[in-house]
Structures are given as structure tokens and as C-alpha cells.
Amino acid sequence: MAAQFGRRLRRGATSGAIVAAAVAALAASQGPGALPPPTDNLSGDSAIGAGDATTTPGGGGGGSATGDSPYYTDLPPLNTPNRPGVAPTAPTVPIVTGPAEAGIPATVLAAYRRAEASVRASDPSCNLPWQLLAGIGKVESGQARGGRVDGNGTTLSPILGPALDGNGFALIQDTDRGAFDGDTTHDRAVGPMQFIPSTWAVWGQDANGDGKKDPNNIYDAAQAAGMYLCAGGRNLAIKADLDRAILSYNRSTEYLTTVLTWFEYYGRGTHTVPDGTGQLPVDRSDRFGPDRPLRPTAPTSPSPSTTPTPDRPSPKPTNPAPTTPPKPTEPTKPTEPTKPPTTEPTRPPVGTPVEIPPTLRVARLKPGTAALTAVTESTFAQAATVTAVDAAGRPVAGVSVRFELPATTDARFPAGATTVTVTSDARGVAKAPALRAGEKAEPFTIRASVPGRSLTAELKATVEVRKADALARVGDAALTATTGGDYAEVTVEGRLDGALAPGVTVTAVVTDSADSAQQSADGPSFGKDAAGNPIRTKVLKTDTNGRLSIKGLVAGEKAGSYVLLLTAPGGGTAKLTLTVTEPATTPPASPDPTTDPAPTASESPSAPASPSGSASVSPSASTSPTA
């Protein structure tokens, strides 16, 4: 390993003196030998397990995030791109800008920064720097194979490590039935951050909000890696915790050194490059074995000519200029001259900061504080709002926010919509359009979310019933009807605080007396239901003028005095007396002698003389013949 380490250092050095300085710097500032190996097993740090800082790749079990899979061992050049105002921590060496080595593909860099913001928001004491994720991503997959990802951050093809079959690597039998790695016999490390399936099952995240936890998605994998590194209450600003975190990813001191070197290199400065154009690493920790899936297809850099060994560095460089190896990135850009001139302006200049989309910069949604209340069938006085803010609490403009109503409410956005999407303004405020209440009086919750993200906020809303604190009959005519007869139409007016109260629900109940609120068993009714039973309770509503008309009130079969009790939300009441009378009876008429006919002979014992002077003949007398 020492010889391999020396060869990699010589790839970035231009003289034996620089090599010696680099080796001394690494040994002094970040060599794992300067620290005692971790012996504890922190809570949540199952990756350390029984392994220690001296474990070599493939020499342990599956207790690390990657199963101790092979990794890229290329080191950055010693001439790091210092940022203004950043003091170097290594011995001074000639500074030569290396844009190819310092460049990180745009989407990959956005994912690292997004993961840092997310983890810092949920676990600020961890102090996770995105440069650490970049260092691990470089070593594990060459920054997702130079940024070969789609617009959603998913690699264009799966990134798989070799089968962990115990042949030079850890022995890990299949745990996911091939769901992530396609191998139903042994597990393989998967994706740009090289998680083995069993680790991903615990730590996998859906950072881009597409509903999937995909180890081949750089956003999902970067956030999972950040949370994994922070496990057990680690503070990555402390060197011992930082080393333990890296060793939990792959239990190898050489791995620790390689990651720390890239971590420091990216901390001195980096820039974005277009996706798919990142520099591909060449050397791997298993490069002397058979070709593996992680090995890139890009041509390898030519080996430099005679250079001193790290054990016995030459005091003077031998042919420094002629023997300087070409930069390893030169062979990776064979298509650069063939690009059409029209596409050249789209390439970000070196050193240009990465512009992270607003949807990825937002860390949370803050619900508005205005009370969302309305009465039935009216427009809410206040609009539903949320504020999109980043991890530092600063507003984020241009964020798409979706407001969604639950199925339980009949409140609606304009045009009867139940879901609307708006964009946050310069203050980060996303304001939903006017919301109109329906007929249901109840509380409900409006859900706000960022499409494509798992960020949500809830806003409480309440629909109240319309109220009337006074009900009064219009007119004062007595309400009287005979049994089975109809009452005249009754008009009642509702008011609230002296003003007419439209849309108020009023309950009308026929009771036996003014002191009772119970429905009468014999009094008037509002007709009969389908089963033929009298209806003595009815719900009415005031119109736009605050009035309601009571029609179809029918007297019962039992005469007496009853009360129509009217009540409204808000305390308004009215009691109207209903009288039921029996129908009037007609006495028999006296005989009139001037109009009554004279009784016949049969009706009187003695027949009076007829007007002509002849006697009337009784119908019972027999007629005698003349002598």
C-alpha cells in the first residue's frame, strides 16, 4: 500500500521536493497514523463495529456503509486552488490553478449543498460540510461518473460495485433480493455514494421528493450519506469525530487519508462544470484485480517517466519539465473541439458559483399567522399563505407551492378548484387565491407543499355558521285555524347586531306551550312525511334580505293553543302562538207557518172542508154506490 500511495502522489507532483513536502504534510496534518484508532461503537455507528482504523478494504465484514467496497484512490494535485482569504494549512507549494480537478458537476454539487443545508437544519450540532460529501463522492464514484445524471439527479445508468462474495472483499449475502443491486446472491455497493442495500434500507432518503428512495439518485444518496456521517451525535468539526465518520463509511486508513485529502482540496476552492464533463478518476484500490463495474471507460493517463520513490526522494528533480505527466483530464475531453459554437455560451465559466434552483434551496415552509375564518357561503377575509425560507431562515423567491384542500370540506378555491399552485414572491411569501366557504360549518386543514420535495406545512381554517341574535315576526294578525285547516303564511325577520342577517339557518318546532321546547304530539304540522307521519320540526333559512317565509302550516285534529318556536345560531328566538279551533256547529231552524204546506187529510184526524164546499174524502173510507 505504501508503494501504491507513493505512486499516486507522484501523479500530482512535479518534483521530488514537492512529493516529500506533500508526504510530510499529510503525515503531519491528516495522516491516520497520527490518531489512535477508534475503539468505541457510538450509538447509530454500526458501521464501525469490530473494525478499527487499521482495517484494509475487503478485510472486514459488512459493518460499513459500503461493505468496504473498492474505491478510487486518485489524489488531487498538490497545487490546490486557494480561495482569496483562505490560508493554506499545508506547507507552501507552488500554486497552479487546476480547474479540471477542482470542478464538480453542477447537479452533483447542488445535491451536496442541498444535503448540507438539510442536515444542518435537522442536526445543526453535526456541522456537516458539503465538501466532506464531495470528498466521499469523488472517492466512491468520481462524482457520479463525472456528473452523468439526468435532470432529476438520477444516474444515467446504475453504478454498481463488485459482488461482495468474500473474494478480496467482504462476504455479504444478498439482503434485498436484488432490488437495488440486481444481484440475488451477494450484495453490491450501489449508486454515486456506494451504499450497500442493507445500509440503504436503514438510511435511504427521498431528498428530491419524487416519492422514491433511490440510491442511484445523487440527491437521495447525498442526504443519506450526510445523515449517516452524523450518526451517534457526531460533531464533524472535531477531528476525532470526523475521522470516525469517514472510517464508518469504509474501514481503511488509506481510505481515510484519500477522503481527507479531497475534503481539504475542495475546502480551498471549487467551481461548477456542466453535468457529464467532470474529471474521471483512474486508479482504484482493487486496480490489480480483474476489471470491475466501477472502473471508468475513459482512457487512462500515461504513466510518468522516472520519478523518485517516496521512501528515498531525490534532493533534486530529474528532468522536471520533460517528465511532468499530462493532466489526467486531457484524455477525458476528446469531444470538446467538436462542440457546436452555439452551445459554448452555456458552459459556466470557471469559478462561477452554482445556482441552486429555488425548489432545492428552500428548507422549510412557515405557515402564515393570520386566522383563516369565514361564515358559511362567504369568502374568507384572509388568504392562506406560507413563507419559503432556506436553512438560514432567509426568504426564497420563485418556489412553487401547492395548496390542497381536504376531501371533508366543501370550501373551494376559484372555479371550484380544490388544489392550486402559486410561486413565492421576493419576500418568499406564497399566497393562495381567495377561498370561499361552502355550506358545511366545521374546521379543516389546508396542506401546503413544495412539488417534488417532502416539505409541507399545515394551515388551520374554520367555517362558522351564520348567526342572528334576534328573530321577529313581520305582522301581528292572529294565527288561527280550524282543525285540519291551513294557516296563513308567516314572515319572520332575522337580525345580527341590528343589521339584517341573511343566510341564517332557523329551526322551527311546534310545541305544546311557550315553556316547552319539545315537539308536540298533537299540534299543527308542516304536512306529512312519506310514511304519513306529521312533520312538526323544520329547518329554514333567511334569504338575502334576512327574511324567511313559513308556508304550508296545517292545524292538527285537536283543538287548543300551541306555540311555534323559532331558534337561530347566535341566540335569536321567536315564539308564535298557534290556535286550533273546532269547526262551528249549525242549530236546527224553526218552522215558518207562511211557507210550510197544509197537512193532508191523512195527517189530521178531522179533515177540514174543502174550499169548494165539498167534503174531502179520507183515503181509508170506502165508496158506497148511489141508490
Side-chain angles (χ1 to χ4, degrees):
M1 279 299 180
Q4 298 171 16
F5 180 54
R7 282 196 291 274
R8 291 198 304 279
L9 282 177
R10 290 197 295 275
R11 293 175 58 84
T14 57
S15 69
I18 294 176
V19 171
V23 172
L26 289 173
S29 65
Q30 57 190 9
L35 293 170
T39 57
D40 58 345
N41 186 5
L42 300 176
S43 175
D45 188 14
S46 60
I48 293 177
D52 58 29
T54 62
T55 306
T56 56
S64 64
T66 64
D68 298 335
S69 295
Y71 54 91
Y72 288 113
T73 57
D74 295 41
L75 292 176
L78 295 179
N79 46 355
T80 56
N82 281 10
R83 294 179 299 181
V86 177
T89 58
T92 303
V93 295
I95 302 299
V96 179
T97 302
E101 293 86 355
I104 299 179
T107 299
V108 178
L109 182 53
Y112 295 152
R113 288 180 168 171
R114 171 72 191 90
E116 178 196 59
S118 177
V119 174
R120 283 181 181 263
S122 61
D123 187 6
S125 63
C126 176
N127 293 303
L128 172 72
W130 67 261
Q131 291 89 346
L132 177 59
L133 297 175
I136 292 177
K138 179 70 173 181
V139 168
E140 293 294 347
S141 67
Q143 311 298 18
R145 289 180 178 151
R148 295 183 67 246
V149 296
D150 60 21
N152 198 38
T154 303
T155 56
L156 300 181
S157 60
I159 300 178
L160 298 175
L164 299 175
D165 55 6
N167 183 20
F169 311 114
L171 174 59
I172 304 179
Q173 302 294 338
D174 174 62
T175 61
D176 66 333
R177 298 183 180 180
F180 293 117
D181 57 12
D183 192 330
T184 58
T185 304
H186 298 95
D187 273 348
R188 299 170 180 258
V190 182
M193 303 303 280
Q194 288 290 279
F195 279 97
I196 56 174
S198 58
T199 307
W200 184 258
V202 177
W203 295 94
Q205 300 294 309
D206 176 20
N208 65 347
D210 63 356
K212 298 183 295 183
K213 296 179 180 180
D214 185 0
N216 281 299
N217 182 277
I218 186 59
Y219 289 106
D220 294 358
Q223 181 158 319
M227 297 178 68
Y228 182 90
L229 293 167
C230 290
R234 294 193 188 101
N235 179 358
L236 301 182
I238 299 174
K239 185 64 166 63
D241 279 3
L242 176 64
D243 289 351
R244 287 189 178 93
I246 297 173
L247 287 170
S248 75
Y249 220 87
N250 192 310
R251 300 174 300 178
S252 162
T253 53
E254 187 171 328
Y255 180 87
L256 173 67
T257 300
T258 307
V259 170
L260 285 173
T261 305
W262 281 106
F263 171 42
E264 181 181 355
Y265 180 76
Y266 287 136
R268 290 172 175 268
T270 187
H271 60 272
T272 179
V273 298
D275 289 345
T277 65
Q279 183 188 40
L280 294 175
V282 177
D283 289 338
R284 284 204 324 174
S285 58
D286 66 336
R287 65 184 180 280
F288 296 114
D291 194 18
R292 302 291 183 178
L294 277 174
R295 188 180 296 276
T297 57
T300 59
S301 302
S303 300
S305 58
T306 305
T307 52
T309 64
D311 297 329
R312 203 179 284 272
S314 175
K316 294 182 180 180
T318 304
N319 298 327
T323 58
T324 301
K327 292 183 178 180
T329 56
E330 292 299 326
T332 65
K333 298 183 179 180
T335 60
E336 182 73 13
T338 62
K339 288 188 176 181
T342 55
T343 62
E344 197 62 36
T346 62
R347 181 183 294 276
V350 173
T352 301
V354 175
E355 181 63 31
I356 303 177
T359 299
L360 296 178
R361 283 194 290 121
V362 61
R364 63 190 180 100
L365 298 176
K366 295 172 54 179
T369 58
L372 303 179
T373 58
V375 295
T376 53
E377 299 180 289
S378 70
T379 301
F380 280 76
Q382 300 291 335
T385 62
V386 294
T387 302
V389 297
D390 61 16
R394 296 180 296 252
V396 181
V399 178
S400 294
V401 178
R402 180 170 58 210
F403 292 91
E404 184 177 357
L405 300 174
T408 55
T409 182
D410 58 355
R412 293 292 182 266
F413 291 115
T418 58
T419 302
V420 294
T421 301
V422 298
T423 303
S424 62
D425 59 20
R427 299 172 299 149
V429 176
K431 182 179 180 180
L435 180 63
R436 185 171 179 80
E439 296 181 350
K440 290 183 179 181
E442 61 183 6
F444 62 92
T445 300
I446 304 172
R447 183 176 182 269
S449 62
V450 178
R453 294 286 307 281
S454 56
L455 301 176
T456 60
E458 293 185 346
L459 299 92
K460 302 298 182 181
T462 303
V463 178
E464 300 177 343
V465 295
R466 291 175 178 265
K467 298 177 181 180
D469 55 16
L471 296 175
R473 180 189 172 196
V474 178
D476 57 0
L479 299 177
T480 303
T482 58
T483 54
D486 297 330
Y487 285 93
E489 181 177 333
V490 180
T491 301
V492 175
E493 189 175 79
R495 290 183 176 271
L496 179 64
D497 296 329
L500 293 172
V504 178
T505 300
V506 177
T507 303
V509 182
V510 176
T511 67
D512 290 329
S513 69
D515 298 328
S516 174
Q518 299 298 318
Q519 177 177 287
S520 173
D522 303 306
S525 66
F526 298 98
K528 295 184 179 181
D529 60 18
N533 300 313
I535 301 172
R536 293 189 172 93
T537 299
K538 190 171 186 179
V539 177
L540 308 168
K541 183 180 290 187
T542 59
D543 59 18
T544 55
N545 296 318
R547 293 187 171 189
L548 60 84
S549 296
I550 303 174
K551 302 176 182 179
L553 192 59
V554 181
E557 299 299 326
K558 184 177 180 180
S561 180
Y562 301 91
V563 171
L564 179 62
L565 175 61
L566 305 175
T567 58
T573 61
K575 298 178 180 180
L576 311 180
T577 301
L578 304 176
T579 302
V580 179
T581 62
E582 294 284 356
T585 56
T586 304
S590 302
D592 188 347
T594 61
T595 57
D596 288 344
T600 61
S602 61
E603 295 173 342
S604 176
S606 57
S610 65
S612 59
S614 60
S616 59
V617 180
S618 172
S620 61
S622 60
T623 303
S624 299
T626 303

